[in-house]
């Protein structure tokens, strides 16, 4: 398939280009587009054939449901059976934004979207290109992250081109995404409001609106089975093996230094995932900086790009510094633990 790449400036949107992209969606094709979290791989969410092609392009298992993206709150009505009271406060405070809410689904949602579940995930992105594309398409857009299944989610046009060239009709390159991690997935279809995936909206922020919100036990305990199908898969994985160090930062730096010297002496090509505050402490290995510990949003923003960069550097093993897991740190550490396939050293 020939993939058309178009560049759109989010600060000066070319409506003709948006119309071209919306036409691809209306005709049942797939368009990759930027959101404020990561790039999405979008198709008409009410067109079963189109949605099937999303799973194919990503190589995604069919038991992992997709998020429907809308551009205004009214668009939700036909998609859900009911809107629980708690949802209004959340939508008002966090939409448009990086919060996905799980509702009981209505009958018009094809079961391929929900992987057979009786619930549907809905999100209203806060990105002008995404909003215009959804509005012009006049349908809810089903969109998983636009990476090949298992790889880190794309946060730059180049990442999408790397993974999706030749597999989909169109890629909108709109530059870098903002948050850099995916949306928080919040289940409001059950008695207890539960975060199934930590993301751009933190537990602390959510509790300002829903004090009794909890996190699915699997987020902090890897021996528990996740409630969200997507959380059980190997994810965000760089090509190289990765070991994540958590706990006291002085001890982390000491251990990574020691381990990197040992591995380099064994002839290994070693990558180190460091932070602004620690980067000058390392003397050997390929050192990439995720961002600043003082401003963990910068780490969220760069994390997936850094993971992809290590693939290009052909490292054999990555030694990564963990961060504190409160606020946005929860989502960062969730992705890092998965990228390390659970190889975590607690110090
Ligand atoms: O930020 C994001 O959410 C990005 C952008 C493109 O919007 N999208 C994204 O989609 O991350 P995806 O498909 O990579 O992840 C969706 C997650 C998966 O873990 C999936 O299992 C979960 O949401 N999910 C979707 N529908 C669900 C449902 N009905 N019940 C439980 N979990 C659901
Ligand atoms: Mg994904």
């Amino acid at each position: 398939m020939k993939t058309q790449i178009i560049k759109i400036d989010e600060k000066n949107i070319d409506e003709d280009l948006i119309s071209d992209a919306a036409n691809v969606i209306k005709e049942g094709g797939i368009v990759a587009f930027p959101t404020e979290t990561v790039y999405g791989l979008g198709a008409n969410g009410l067109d079963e054939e189109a949605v099937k092609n999303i799973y194919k392009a990503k190589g995604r298992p069919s038991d992992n449901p997709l998020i429907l993206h809308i551009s205004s709150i009214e668009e939700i009505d036909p998609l859900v059976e009911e809107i629980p009271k708690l949802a209004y406060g959340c939508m008002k405070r966090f939409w448009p934004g990086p919060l996905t809410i799980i509702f009981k689904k209505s009958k018009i949602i094809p079961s391929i979207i929900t992987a057979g579940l009786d619930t549907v995930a809905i999100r209203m992105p806060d990105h002008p290109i995404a909003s215009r594309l959804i509005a012009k398409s006049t349908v809810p857009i089903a969109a998983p992250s636009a990476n090949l299944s298992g790889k880190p989610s794309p946060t730059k046009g180049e990442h999408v081109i790397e993974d999706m060239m030749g597999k989909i009709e169109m890629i909108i390159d709109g530059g870098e995404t903002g948050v850099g991690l995916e949306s928080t997935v919040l289940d409001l279809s059950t008695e207890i409001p539960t975060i199934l995936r930590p993301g751009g909206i933190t537990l602390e922020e959510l509790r300002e609106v829903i004090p009794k919100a909890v996190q699915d036990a699997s987020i902090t305990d890897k021996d528990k089975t996740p409630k969200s199908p997507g959380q059980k898969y190997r994810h965000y994985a760089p090509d190289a093996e990765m070991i994540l160090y958590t706990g006291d930062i002085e001890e982390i730096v000491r251990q990574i230094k020691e381990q990197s010297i040992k591995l380099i002496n064994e002839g290994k090509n070693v990558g180190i995932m460091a932070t602004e505050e620690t980067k000058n402490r390392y003397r050997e290995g390929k050192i990439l900086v995720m961002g600043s510990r003082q401003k963990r949003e910068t780490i969220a923003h760069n994390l997936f790009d850094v993971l992809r960069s290590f693939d290009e550097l052909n490292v054999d093993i990555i030694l990564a510094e963990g961060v504190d897991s409160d606020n946005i740190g929860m989502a960062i550490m969730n992705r890092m633990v998965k990228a390390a396939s659970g190889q975590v050293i607690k110090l």
Side-chain angles (χ1 to χ4, degrees):
M1 183 185 300
K2 190 167 169 355
T3 303
Q4 194 188 349
I5 301 173
I6 58 176
K7 275 197 187 271
I8 300 183
D9 176 0
E10 65 173 290
K11 295 204 178 68
N12 182 17
I13 292 188
D14 183 331
E15 288 291 334
D16 290 340
L17 291 178
I18 295 281
S19 295
D20 292 347
N23 284 334
V24 173
I25 299 272
K26 284 184 187 166
E27 285 159 16
I30 300 181
V31 176
F33 62 97
T35 80
E36 80 282 28
T37 58
V38 300
Y39 274 78
L41 200 57
N44 177 352
L46 304 177
D47 177 342
E48 229 166 297
E49 275 310 306
V51 175
K52 249 187 221 160
N53 289 331
I54 294 182
Y55 282 90
K56 229 202 254 159
K58 264 187 81 95
R60 179 173 176 119
S62 59
D63 65 347
N64 190 1
L66 304 180
I67 299 171
L68 285 181
H69 296 70
I70 58 175
S71 63
S72 73
I73 289 189
E74 304 81 73
E75 291 163 39
I76 201 174
D77 288 333
L79 308 177
V80 303
E81 202 183 273
E82 56 173 3
I83 301 179
K85 263 209 195 101
L86 287 176
Y88 288 101
C90 284
M91 295 191 291
K92 188 156 182 259
R93 166 83 190 267
F94 300 113
W95 279 8
L99 178 72
T100 295
I101 303 178
I102 311 271
F103 298 91
K104 292 243 164 60
K105 81 176 192 76
S106 77
K107 295 208 170 52
I108 70 162
I109 312 277
S111 67
I112 185 164
I113 293 282
T114 64
L117 299 173
D118 60 1
T119 54
V120 62
I122 301 182
R123 164 165 129 75
M124 182 169 150
D126 185 17
H127 191 291
I129 296 176
S131 305
R132 290 303 303 140
L133 177 64
I134 301 162
K136 269 216 165 131
S137 303
T138 65
V139 290
I141 293 188
S145 49
N147 51 289
L148 289 172
S149 207
K151 295 249 277 169
S153 299
T155 54
K156 292 177 172 175
E158 299 96 275
H159 298 160
V160 184
I161 293 168
E162 218 168 77
D163 283 15
M164 289 299 151
M165 207 55 193
K167 293 191 162 74
I168 60 176
E169 280 77 7
M170 185 181 272
I171 296 171
I172 301 179
D173 183 345
E176 285 188 31
T177 61
V179 180
L181 301 178
E182 302 85 346
S183 62
T184 300
V185 177
L186 174 68
D187 191 351
L188 292 182
S189 73
T190 53
E191 193 93 355
I192 303 167
T194 309
I195 293 180
L196 304 184
R197 175 177 74 180
I201 300 294
T202 65
L203 175 64
E204 290 84 347
E205 285 171 309
L206 260 177
R207 282 192 172 150
E208 289 168 18
V209 179
I210 309 180
K212 61 176 183 185
V214 297
Q215 294 198 106
D216 188 45
S218 68
I219 293 172
T220 47
D221 181 352
K222 66 177 170 43
D223 296 328
K224 293 268 175 11
T225 308
K227 266 208 211 130
S228 180
Q231 293 304 95
K232 65 176 187 268
Y233 292 107
R234 185 176 147 84
H235 244 121
Y236 315 115
D239 295 338
E241 180 187 355
M242 174 167 153
I243 302 174
L244 176 62
Y245 293 77
T246 66
D248 175 59
I249 185 60
E250 284 308 312
E251 195 55 23
I252 291 175
V253 172
R254 207 179 63 74
Q255 294 257 353
I256 290 182
K257 277 174 91 162
E258 199 177 289
Q259 191 61 14
S260 60
I261 290 167
K262 186 164 154 261
L263 289 165
I264 289 165
N265 285 340
E266 286 169 14
K268 294 254 167 61
N269 190 359
V270 176
I272 297 177
M273 273 172 95
T275 45
E276 283 299 340
E277 291 81 359
T278 58
K279 63 181 181 196
N280 294 328
R281 312 269 298 273
Y282 303 108
R283 295 272 169 272
E284 268 143 311
K286 304 230 161 78
I287 301 150
L288 294 183
V289 174
M290 300 182 278
S292 162
R293 294 180 168 276
Q294 306 298 325
K295 222 173 161 248
R296 280 171 295 165
E297 290 70 28
T298 57
I299 296 180
H301 178 82
N302 295 322
L303 181 65
F304 291 145
D305 184 47
V306 167
L307 285 171
R308 280 180 183 256
S309 300
F310 277 123
D311 287 348
E312 271 156 43
L313 292 170
N314 282 316
V315 298
D316 302 308
I317 186 159
I318 301 166
L319 308 178
E321 293 179 5
V323 298
D324 292 341
S325 58
D326 60 326
N327 292 298
I328 193 66
M330 180 61 72
I332 296 171
M333 288 303 283
N334 173 265
R335 306 314 188 264
M336 289 188 93
V337 169
K338 284 193 163 55
S341 296
Q343 284 204 79
V344 182
I345 296 180
K346 296 196 174 90
L347 299 168

